[in-house]
Amino acid sequence: MPNALAYLMLLLWPLVSLVLFRRLPLERAILWCILGGYLLLPPVAEFDLPLVPDMDKFTIPAIMAFVLCAGLLHKKVPLLPHHPLARVLMVLFVFAVVPTVLTNGDPIIFEVLAGSDPIVFLTDMLPGLRWRDLGSVMINQVIVLMPFLLARRYLSSPESQKELLLALCIAGLAYSLPALLEIRISPQINTMVYGFFQHDFAQTMRQGGFRPIVFLPHPLWLALFMFSALMACTALARAAQGPRRLRFGLASLYLFWVLFLCKSFASLAYGLSFVPLVALASARWQIRVALALAAVAITYPMLRNLGLIPTEAILAQAEAISPARAQSLGYRFDNEAILLERAAEKPWFGWGGWGRNLIRDMETGAIVSIPDGHWILVFGTFGWFGYLAEMGLLCSPLLLLGIEIRRRRGRDISPYSTAIALILAATLVDMLLNDTLVPMTWLCAGSILGYAERLRDPTLFTRSRPLFHGRQILMPQPPSSRSRSRI
């Protein structure tokens, strides 16, 4: 049960966001408002308000960043992408929930027969979806897109992409300190600060030690974040010159050590695979790998339905590496199989919310399936329409960037864009195993989409103020615009 401090932090974050937007340049304010909320606010704790989505560590920072950018600073945030494909996918992402609600108005009733008597006892019921549920779900879809829209406009230039990677690097280095403490003493920080433990404690014990979790929902979330910070630091090291390259290189080695101690096989595999690409490969090869991963992510449900995913061979390989990890992976595959059978009953628009997509005991209503991957949650809830809209919107920036890199033959490409693309692609693959879609993922997708659109049309966005001063990049500023250079 979250304590009073947990709810107080949620209430105070709008004030923290206001301070950030008054004191920092716009790009940094957006980044630290969303990233800081993700890393510091309490998990699980939320305000359950009527007719709107739950207000928690994901929604509050996204709303505040968007409102302060558009309302306080009067900055324009275009609501639709410029490219037709991304525009169609965004509209579909918001409105694909309409047929889901319209086709799930019937309640799901759980009942038990009283012995041999023709008496049926109602044990539980999942309500059907109503018009007010449609409003709530559509509002949630819009809130989810807010980081995406902000990043497309204000985090898509090469300079602001450098800011994004630098924020990930700094946050990773700072977050490594409480993470190392939890590796040493066991995950206790969330309990000490917010008065509760946010997950199953057994999930934090691996290989005779502990996996850190700090203020995130699960140890796997923290490991994936450390992987993202490692990728960001490696990209900055490659682009830097002189002593800065050495400092970023040493920071990358340190973050890789922390990632290893997080004891997450998947995130460690991402690090071993993608860090050399960021450090050594050309932009064309980096985007090719990102596109290949995106293709696997978006077609996985189809391949799984057709039996083309060699689950037995994958389990055999996992068994050779770690029997415990193979057992965990096999459990995920088993749950995927039964949830796919459930989703096949309503393949186009899904079952909707209230846990209607899960497998339950038909007499008691108790949940007997545990969905792990984000893809099966979306696929079961919104069907093919919702799944293709979400995954298409996340994958389309990689496709558009790949087209632009091919058109330019890899020349004049930001060294930061492909690193962000690989972070996004790795997260898409991880979403096949875990529910790891977070606001930072949408920031990465929006940044890539905006950058690809800038390459196609350099006049699409205009800058009204400098992002850097001093020894950094200096850009002209109109005399009438208000200076926001304090950091």
Side-chain angles (χ1 to χ4, degrees):
M1 180 72 179
N3 58 19
L5 179 60
Y7 293 104
L8 181 62
M9 282 293 292
L10 293 177
L11 290 172
L12 287 178
W13 199 253
L15 180 60
V16 173
S17 303
L18 178 62
V19 173
L20 290 174
F21 273 82
R22 285 195 173 275
R23 292 184 174 272
L24 298 181
L26 177 59
E27 290 82 357
R28 293 183 180 179
I30 293 171
L31 284 166
W32 289 110
C33 176
I34 295 175
L35 180 58
Y38 174 62
L39 296 178
L40 299 178
L41 290 179
V44 181
E46 61 188 19
F47 292 109
D48 187 7
L49 303 178
L51 303 180
V52 295
D54 296 332
M55 294 292 104
D56 56 16
K57 69 183 295 172
F58 300 113
T59 55
I60 292 175
I63 293 172
M64 290 310 304
F66 191 89
V67 169
L68 291 174
C69 180
L72 178 68
L73 303 182
H74 304 291
K75 299 293 185 179
K76 293 182 179 180
V77 184
L79 299 181
L80 288 174
H82 182 69
H83 196 278
L85 173 62
R87 185 175 300 182
V88 169
L89 289 170
M90 179 175 289
V91 172
L92 185 61
F93 178 80
V94 175
F95 290 98
V97 301
V98 175
T100 297
V101 172
L102 295 180
T103 56
N104 284 281
D106 53 314
I108 300 177
I109 298 174
F110 304 96
E111 55 190 20
V112 60
L113 183 66
S116 60
D117 299 328
I119 302 175
V120 175
F121 290 97
L122 191 67
T123 59
D124 200 358
M125 182 183 72
L126 296 176
L129 303 184
R130 305 269 187 258
W131 278 103
R132 73 176 181 182
D133 299 314
L134 174 60
S136 177
V137 175
M138 290 185 68
I139 292 172
N140 181 71
Q141 299 293 83
V142 172
I143 293 174
V144 166
L145 287 177
M146 286 179 177
F148 179 81
L149 297 173
L150 289 170
R152 173 184 171 267
R153 174 62 184 88
Y154 294 108
L155 298 177
S156 55
S157 67
E159 296 85 2
S160 57
Q161 287 184 333
K162 180 181 179 180
E163 282 289 298
L164 193 159
L165 293 177
L166 188 60
L168 283 173
C169 179
I170 293 173
L173 292 172
Y175 221 61
S176 69
L177 300 179
L180 290 174
L181 179 62
E182 288 198 338
I183 292 171
R184 181 66 181 88
I185 68 171
S186 82
Q188 299 292 335
I189 294 178
N190 197 83
T191 304
M192 292 187 292
V193 176
Y194 293 129
F196 71 103
F197 191 73
Q198 63 266 49
H199 207 273
D200 180 8
F201 192 81
Q203 293 284 321
T204 68
M205 295 186 290
R206 285 291 185 276
Q207 303 171 12
F210 298 101
R211 299 194 294 182
I213 187 171
V214 193
F215 301 127
L216 298 186
H218 192 280
L220 296 176
W221 273 243
L222 191 145
L224 186 64
F225 170 71
M226 285 299 170
F227 158 75
S228 301
L230 170 61
M231 292 280 285
C233 205
T234 304
L236 292 170
R238 178 173 179 174
Q241 300 292 332
R244 290 174 63 86
R245 171 172 289 187
L246 177 61
R247 288 196 291 268
F248 281 123
L250 293 176
S252 299
L253 292 175
Y254 168 74
L255 288 174
F256 184 83
W257 175 65
V258 175
L259 177 61
F260 175 78
L261 294 179
C262 287
K263 303 180 182 70
S264 171
F265 178 79
S267 293
L268 182 59
Y270 304 151
L272 291 172
S273 303
F274 301 146
V275 167
L277 276 173
V278 173
L280 303 173
S282 65
R284 299 179 72 176
W285 273 106
Q286 290 183 48
I287 198 62
R288 286 171 183 168
V289 172
L291 285 171
L293 295 175
V296 171
I298 201 168
T299 60
Y300 183 83
M302 184 184 303
L303 300 175
R304 193 79 165 87
N305 274 320
L306 295 175
L308 297 179
I309 300 295
T311 55
E312 295 299 327
I314 293 173
L315 289 175
Q317 291 294 325
E319 179 74 25
I321 298 173
S322 170
R325 295 303 91 225
Q327 182 181 5
S328 175
L329 187 60
Y331 184 75
R332 293 169 190 261
F333 284 155
D334 291 341
N335 275 275
E336 279 184 7
I338 58 176
L339 287 168
L340 275 172
E341 292 179 4
R342 174 70 171 172
E345 298 178 30
K346 292 191 175 184
W348 295 111
F349 307 121
W351 286 92
W354 305 109
R356 294 163 57 93
N357 60 312
L358 304 179
I359 306 299
R360 296 174 179 265
D361 186 282
M362 292 310 297
E363 292 187 354
T364 65
I367 298 175
V368 296
S369 63
I370 300 178
D372 286 306
H374 180 80
W375 77 272
I376 193 62
L377 287 169
V378 176
F379 189 61
T381 303
F382 299 115
W384 276 112
F385 268 44
Y387 178 80
L388 291 176
E390 180 174 285
M391 292 301 294
L393 192 57
L394 289 168
C395 293
S396 60
L398 299 176
L399 174 63
L400 299 179
L401 179 60
I403 292 173
E404 293 303 316
I405 290 178
R406 180 179 178 85
R407 185 171 68 89
R408 291 169 173 257
R409 301 181 182 274
R411 296 189 296 269
D412 302 323
I413 300 298
S414 165
Y416 313 115
S417 61
T418 49
I420 298 173
L422 283 172
I423 293 173
L424 174 59
T427 304
L428 294 176
V429 172
D430 197 74
M431 285 162 52
L432 301 179
L433 302 173
N434 306 297
D435 187 18
T436 46
L437 179 60
V438 297
M440 284 304 300
T441 309
W442 288 105
L443 282 179
C444 291
S447 176
I448 296 299
L449 175 61
Y451 180 68
E453 291 178 333
R454 287 174 186 266
L455 291 178
R456 173 64 65 174
D457 181 7
T459 64
L460 181 61
F461 302 122
T462 58
R463 301 188 60 84
S464 60
R465 61 177 185 81
L467 178 60
F468 299 102
H469 291 276
R471 293 178 297 173
Q472 303 293 330
I473 299 173
L474 186 63
M475 299 183 68
Q477 180 177 0
S480 59
S481 61
R482 182 162 57 117
S483 175
R484 297 180 50 78
S485 60
R486 281 192 298 165
I487 299 175

